[in-house]
Amino acid sequence: MNAARADKAAAQAELRSLPARFALVGCAGAATTEQRAFLIRYSTGFMQVALHERACDCLLLPEATPSVRDVNAAGYGQCVTVDACLGITTGISGADRARTARVLADPDSTADDLTRPGHLVSVRVDPFAFRGRLTAAAAALALTDAACPEYSGALFADIEGIGDPTQLADAESIATRHGLTSVSSTSP
């Protein structure tokens, strides 16, 4: 964690483990095209940005399926997709999505800085889920909040091909091979 505090980009590729879930996690506010390419290569490719509920409210990001209230349900907390208004082309490229992630994490951003629909899914993390680290989004956000408190956002994606909790060694191998910090915890 000290390395992550010293260099915001170092937190980009933290490894996070939850029961039956292994994800690459990084600070959305420090997202670069290169870091996003790394996450795409070693993940399922489905990138999301975890944000505190209050940030989603400020950015006017409603939940895409507000009827999903079970924290274990697929899609829990996912909001409408967005793109940054400025500094992007079509919104689909790694550079465009990295820019959108930085806009989402910027505490000075407003709803007018985003267009809807877009290409990046933000995930609303409510205080209850955050305190208990009940979801991958909540755990990712807690990690990046500790590493980069000046931003509020965690870019995260599940690691490709590793979904069984017995495969911790495989996840740790990826971390070792690429010089990442491996973090494993299900409690605050």
Side-chain angles (χ1 to χ4, degrees):
M1 193 59 74
N2 289 335
R5 284 191 189 104
D7 178 5
K8 290 184 286 266
Q12 167 56 34
E14 296 288 333
L15 184 64
R16 184 72 183 176
S17 166
L18 289 172
R21 193 133 186 217
F22 297 93
L24 291 169
V25 176
C27 293
T32 67
T33 303
E34 295 78 19
Q35 291 162 339
R36 191 169 183 311
F38 177 85
L39 290 176
I40 289 292
R41 179 181 171 133
Y42 292 98
S43 76
T44 59
F46 180 49
M47 294 281 173
Q48 300 177 81
V49 176
L51 297 169
H52 288 283
E53 186 173 66
R54 67 184 178 276
C56 289
D57 289 343
C58 289
L59 295 172
L60 303 178
L61 297 173
E63 288 183 69
T65 54
S67 61
V68 177
R69 295 291 173 220
D70 179 3
V71 295
N72 296 311
Y76 177 77
Q78 288 180 341
C79 297
V80 297
T81 58
V82 294
D83 284 333
C85 282
L86 301 173
I88 67 164
T89 56
T90 63
I92 195 77
S93 72
D96 290 352
R97 290 188 195 192
R99 168 80 179 128
T100 299
R102 290 191 306 273
V103 169
L104 284 165
D106 186 340
D108 294 327
S109 291
T110 67
D112 291 336
D113 296 321
L114 301 166
T115 61
R116 296 152 184 85
H119 296 89
L120 196 57
V121 176
S122 54
V123 179
R124 173 183 292 263
V125 177
D126 65 63
F128 174 74
F130 182 76
R131 277 191 304 277
R133 312 296 192 264
L134 298 177
T135 64
L141 191 55
L143 180 64
T144 59
D145 277 0
C148 297
E150 65 273 23
Y151 296 110
S152 178
L155 188 63
F156 70 102
D158 290 343
I159 297 177
E160 180 69 43
I162 303 178
D164 182 332
T166 63
Q167 294 176 297
L168 178 59
D170 293 340
E172 288 176 340
S173 172
I174 291 171
T176 300
R177 190 172 357 145
H178 296 286
L180 307 177
T181 302
S182 179
V183 178
S184 179
S185 174
T186 56
S187 60

